[in-house]
């Protein structure tokens, strides 16, 4: 069985928490389904910069979306579909399953066949290389 890695963005943590609460769980709130949720939160887009003395010159810049990755043991829940995003494989986080990564990459390239990721440049021919 191929497990699915899917990436989601929510407007805020409360909306993400509400979606996570709908996942199968026991009376104590522990997951009971074959899924793994990784909360990434507001992803850092640009780090802060500092001068030589450690004073902040520019503050960090974070995404305005709350990111959550899910490693689904079976099909992803349809209720999560409105929140799905497709960052360049695999974004800032990945799970260890090679079959899940391969499935994500294949789906990504199916959705975005013209992307540079899916069409990497060919290496130069040996005669085109400038050797010392």
């Amino acid at each position: 069985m191929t497990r699915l890695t899917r990436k989601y963005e929510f407007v805020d943590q409360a909306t993400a928490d509400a979606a996570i609460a709908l996942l199968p769980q026991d009376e104590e709130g522990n997951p009971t389904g074959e899924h793994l949720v990784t909360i990434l939160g507001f992803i850092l887009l640009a780090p802060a910069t500092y001068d030589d003395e450690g004073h902040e010159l520019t503050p960090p810049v974070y995404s305005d979306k709350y990111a959550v990755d899910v490693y689904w043991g079976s099909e992803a829940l349809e209720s999560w579909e409105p929140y799905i995003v497709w960052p360049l494989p695999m974004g800032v986080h990945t799970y260890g399953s090679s079959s899940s990564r391969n499935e994500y990459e294949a789906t990504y390239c199916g959705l975005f066949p013209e992307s540079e990721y899916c069409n990497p440049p060919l290496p130069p021919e040996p005669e085109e290389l400038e050797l010392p």
Side-chain angles (χ1 to χ4, degrees), residues 45-57:
L45 301 176
T49 59
Y50 300 89
D51 64 19
D52 292 339
E53 296 172 0
H55 298 105
E56 185 178 82
L57 298 173

Side-chain angles (χ1 to χ4, degrees), residues 76-120:
L77 292 181
E78 194 173 307
S79 61
W80 282 62
E81 189 67 28
Y83 307 105
I84 197 165
V85 293
W86 292 94
L88 188 66
M90 290 283 292
V92 298
H93 169 261
T94 185
Y95 294 104
S97 167
S98 60
S99 64
S100 175
R101 283 194 310 270
N102 292 342
E103 187 279 333
Y104 183 92
E105 291 171 355
T107 302
Y108 179 90
C109 289
L111 292 170
F112 309 102
E114 299 302 316
S115 76
E116 187 175 341
Y117 180 85
C118 303
N119 298 286

Side-chain angles (χ1 to χ4, degrees), residues 59-70:
V61 176
Y62 291 90
S63 170
D64 62 349
K65 303 291 186 201
Y66 194 82
V68 175
D69 286 0
V70 181

